[in-house]
Amino acid sequence: MRYLVSVIDDKDDPGSTDRQPGISAFNERLIAEGYWVFAGGLADTGTATVVDNRGEQAVFTDGPFVESKEYLAGVWVWEAPDLDVALKLAAEASKVCDRKIEVRPFL
Amino acid sequence: MSDVEEAITRAHHDEWARVVAALTRRFGDLDLAEESAAEAFATAVERWRADGVPPNPGAWLTTTAGRKAIDRIRRESKRGDKHREALMTYDDPPEPAGAIDDDRLRLIFTCCHPALAMEARVALTLRLVGGLTVPEIARAFLVQRTAMEQRITRAKGKIKAARIPYRMPSADDLPARVSGVLAVLFLVFNEGYLASGPGTDPVRPGLTAEAIRLTRLIRALLPQDGEVAGLLALMLLIEARRTARVSANGELVALDEQDRGAWDAGLIAEGHRLVRERLAAAAAGVAPGRYQILAAINAVHTSARDIRDTDWSQILALYDQLVRLDPSPIIALNRAVAVAELDGPEVALAIVDRLAEALDGYHAYHATRADLLRRLGRSRQSRAAYDRAIELAGNTGETAYLTRRRDQLQ
């Protein structure tokens, strides 16, 4: 079962920034234990562009698709046998990243 | 009720959770388990009338429900894989039943999984473990039947899609997960004990009885868990006073005005036995949790034959212990009631007034304050506090009680 694991940051109350060594070590472990599929941090929401080409011509809009104080700061994709395993890892991930984590299964 | 009807009612009470849980383990599908169990009980009504009650109703129901499930899978060809899987596991010997590894326990932990909303946990537990129908649960929680159906369907959908496992939590996770289960059962009990909503009976005995039945089940499955024993004792000691708690005209009767002769002596004896068992464990060095302390407080109340015999200093000592465990303003408020008995209403009022900010929206805060002000002869302020308590109280019996107390003020 694959889970999308989103790292959620908060513009009003951001998590600490010096987390990279801990996250790298955590990633090593995810790989060693067979959970790791993919991971990536995301640039600031200000760098996002939304594209809508459902009409006559493509419209490009500066900024993220939803303006909120909480935003997606990075993602993992994990392979885990069930939600309990994913939640246990997510609890660790939240500590390691100093941020909230959303766990969502792929269809 | 005929013997057969009685046997079916009893089997439904005793065996529903076992049948659903066994099918869930075998087929890994909550919907299928629930529907097949319901079909098996419907079949039992016809067959037992014609052929008599089988010697082992539980086994009969589990076997019948298993056949119904396989029929269902056959009918739905898209479930080909599941069909094969089910048939392959058909002759598997059942997993060894360890001390706490029981199908029903796994089912309870699945229904009370922390990834589900509290309301969904309550609804799923009552449906899949308690065997209540969806309309019954909807009525109990004052929501539309369709809304309750959606809530249950969504929760089952999440269990399936997010793959919430059907198994016992690991030993590390067990204490935290058991406390979540107990919270669900206490919520069910409290909704029965102090029912919310206008036009609702003040007490819903069906819900308190169901909560006690399910807690007994958990107790049978986890006999070593002190908080399970504590919650069961707490529920029994509160339930014992149920009939004395509501007057003929539907008004709640406060503890000091209750007819203690109307308390259920059997339930009190059972509750006291459990509390003594936990006291022995505490003496051996096992620190009691909040349900055990609350049960002990209720044991002190139910030991007094007259309100004047109540050992308030012991109650206060227990609240002091509880405050250390759970320093919430609600516990502090309840502790102040014992303080009022020992040190007088003035001392208690000073404690209560410090909780104003945290508890301003809580009816019991204003009701407690109103009572203390009344005892101090500050009628005008007492009346205002009663007004606010009445405004916030959601229980019809409690509203009636508070209104009478307010109107008795000079």
Side-chain angles (χ1 to χ4, degrees):
Chain A
M1 183 97 209
R2 282 197 173 177
Y3 295 90
L4 176 69
V5 180
S6 307
V7 180
I8 303 154
D9 208 346
D10 187 327
K11 283 177 183 156
D12 296 346
D13 181 22
S16 48
T17 49
D18 52 345
R19 292 283 151 168
Q20 210 42 59
I23 295 172
S24 295
F26 182 61
N27 274 328
E28 295 296 324
R29 225 196 80 206
L30 290 174
I31 292 166
E33 292 176 10
Y35 301 118
W36 197 89
V37 178
F38 174 84
L42 295 173
D44 186 84
T45 53
T47 62
T49 311
V50 172
V51 183
D52 186 353
N53 195 17
R54 293 170 303 174
E56 298 262 302
Q57 56 179 344
V59 176
F60 301 93
T61 315
D62 175 43
F65 76 100
V66 58
E67 280 291 355
S68 72
K69 68 186 191 70
E70 289 190 319
Y71 66 98
L72 189 62
V75 295
W76 270 286
V77 176
W78 293 341
E79 180 72 49
D82 59 50
L83 187 68
D84 276 359
V85 175
L87 292 182
K88 207 160 206 147
L89 293 169
E92 274 184 67
S94 171
K95 266 249 151 60
V96 169
C97 299
D98 189 29
R99 279 161 183 87
K100 286 204 282 189
I101 302 285
E102 181 191 277
V103 178
R104 230 168 124 186
F106 280 89
L107 279 175
Chain B
M1 206 188 284
S2 75
D3 287 353
V4 172
E5 280 167 48
E6 210 179 292
I8 286 168
T9 305
R10 193 167 343 105
H12 195 268
H13 251 185
D14 298 346
E15 307 293 347
W16 169 268
R18 201 193 302 270
V19 175
V20 173
L23 264 67
T24 305
R25 177 165 60 79
R26 192 163 143 209
F27 299 100
D29 185 329
L30 284 174
D31 280 323
L32 181 70
E34 186 196 327
E35 286 157 15
S36 310
E39 268 187 81
F41 277 94
T43 306
V45 174
E46 288 171 38
R47 293 283 302 279
W48 296 5
R49 267 191 199 132
D51 307 342
V53 178
N56 185 342
W60 189 97
L61 287 161
T62 308
T63 309
T64 307
R67 288 201 195 111
K68 301 274 181 199
I70 290 177
D71 289 348
R72 230 166 226 278
I73 294 167
R74 281 203 184 108
R75 280 201 301 273
E76 296 168 44
S77 54
K78 61 179 178 177
R79 280 172 157 169
D81 290 344
K82 219 169 264 169
H83 181 193
R84 270 192 299 279
E85 212 177 292
L87 292 180
M88 267 164 23
T89 58
Y90 195 17
D91 293 325
D92 274 4
E95 285 181 33
I100 53 168
D101 193 9
D102 179 285
D103 286 343
R104 288 168 297 176
L105 203 50
R106 297 188 213 183
L107 183 64
I108 291 165
F109 280 111
T110 303
C111 292
C112 294
H113 197 276
L116 299 170
M118 197 59 177
E119 293 163 336
R121 290 187 223 172
V122 169
L124 276 182
T125 304
L126 289 176
R127 176 74 201 113
L128 294 172
V129 187
L132 270 65
T133 64
V134 175
E136 278 171 339
I137 303 168
R139 254 200 316 281
F141 289 92
L142 305 170
V143 301
Q144 293 292 315
R145 181 201 167 128
T146 47
M148 186 52 79
E149 220 143 53
Q150 278 168 5
R151 186 183 291 173
I152 292 176
T153 306
R154 258 202 310 273
K156 284 197 285 198
K158 179 163 181 181
I159 289 171
K160 198 182 264 186
R163 201 173 286 188
I164 288 177
Y166 174 61
R167 66 152 180 258
M168 283 291 294
S170 66
D172 300 349
D173 294 339
L174 194 61
R177 293 286 305 277
V178 172
S179 75
V181 172
L182 299 183
V184 167
L185 297 176
F186 199 35
L187 198 70
V188 173
F189 183 85
N190 278 326
E191 187 50 37
Y193 167 70
L194 201 65
S196 51
T200 312
D201 285 341
V203 180
R204 331 273 301 275
L207 280 179
T208 55
E210 187 59 23
I212 289 172
R213 191 172 72 82
L214 293 177
T215 309
R216 278 191 199 282
L217 172 63
I218 307 266
R219 160 102 179 133
L221 299 169
L222 295 173
Q224 304 302 326
D225 190 295
E227 279 294 85
V228 175
L231 180 62
L232 179 58
L234 175 60
M235 289 178 177
L236 293 172
L237 294 173
I238 297 174
E239 179 76 358
R241 307 196 294 253
R242 180 166 55 78
T243 46
R245 229 179 109 248
V246 183
S247 72
N249 51 13
E251 185 182 303
L252 280 198
V253 182
L255 192 59
D256 57 341
E257 292 176 334
Q258 283 176 18
D259 169 13
R260 295 183 177 224
W263 289 355
D264 186 321
L267 292 181
I268 289 177
E270 190 186 353
H272 284 188
R273 247 193 331 272
L274 286 165
V275 170
R276 277 197 301 276
E277 178 191 311
R278 295 318 306 160
L279 285 176
V286 185
R290 65 185 293 255
Y291 295 124
Q292 291 168 73
I293 299 173
L294 285 169
I297 291 169
N298 277 276
V300 177
H301 280 303
T302 44
S303 297
R305 256 171 301 172
D306 187 290
I307 183 80
R308 283 164 304 192
D309 300 334
T310 306
D311 185 349
W312 289 104
S313 59
Q314 206 183 344
I315 289 179
L316 185 61
L318 288 164
Y319 270 117
D320 286 341
Q321 212 179 334
L322 192 56
V323 165
R324 282 197 292 276
L325 215 62
D326 174 10
S328 77
I330 291 181
I331 302 290
L333 177 73
N334 292 330
R335 182 183 166 278
V337 174
V339 170
E341 296 301 325
L342 288 165
D343 302 328
E346 192 142 22
V347 181
L349 185 63
I351 298 172
V352 169
D353 279 342
R354 284 201 292 275
L355 307 169
E357 203 181 323
L359 298 180
D360 187 52
Y362 181 49
H363 74 275
Y365 163 76
H366 297 283
T368 305
R369 239 185 122 247
D371 185 55
L372 295 171
L373 289 164
R374 179 186 58 77
R375 284 152 78 174
L376 290 165
R378 290 156 67 175
S379 301
R380 201 177 47 81
Q381 287 168 297
S382 174
R383 184 183 303 277
Y386 274 121
D387 283 341
R388 184 94 174 99
I390 291 162
E391 198 183 311
L392 292 167
N395 180 276
T396 48
E398 196 165 24
T399 307
Y401 166 74
L402 293 168
T403 306
R404 178 172 63 83
R405 295 310 295 249
R406 181 194 60 192
D407 296 346
Q408 280 171 347
L409 284 171
Q410 296 304 310

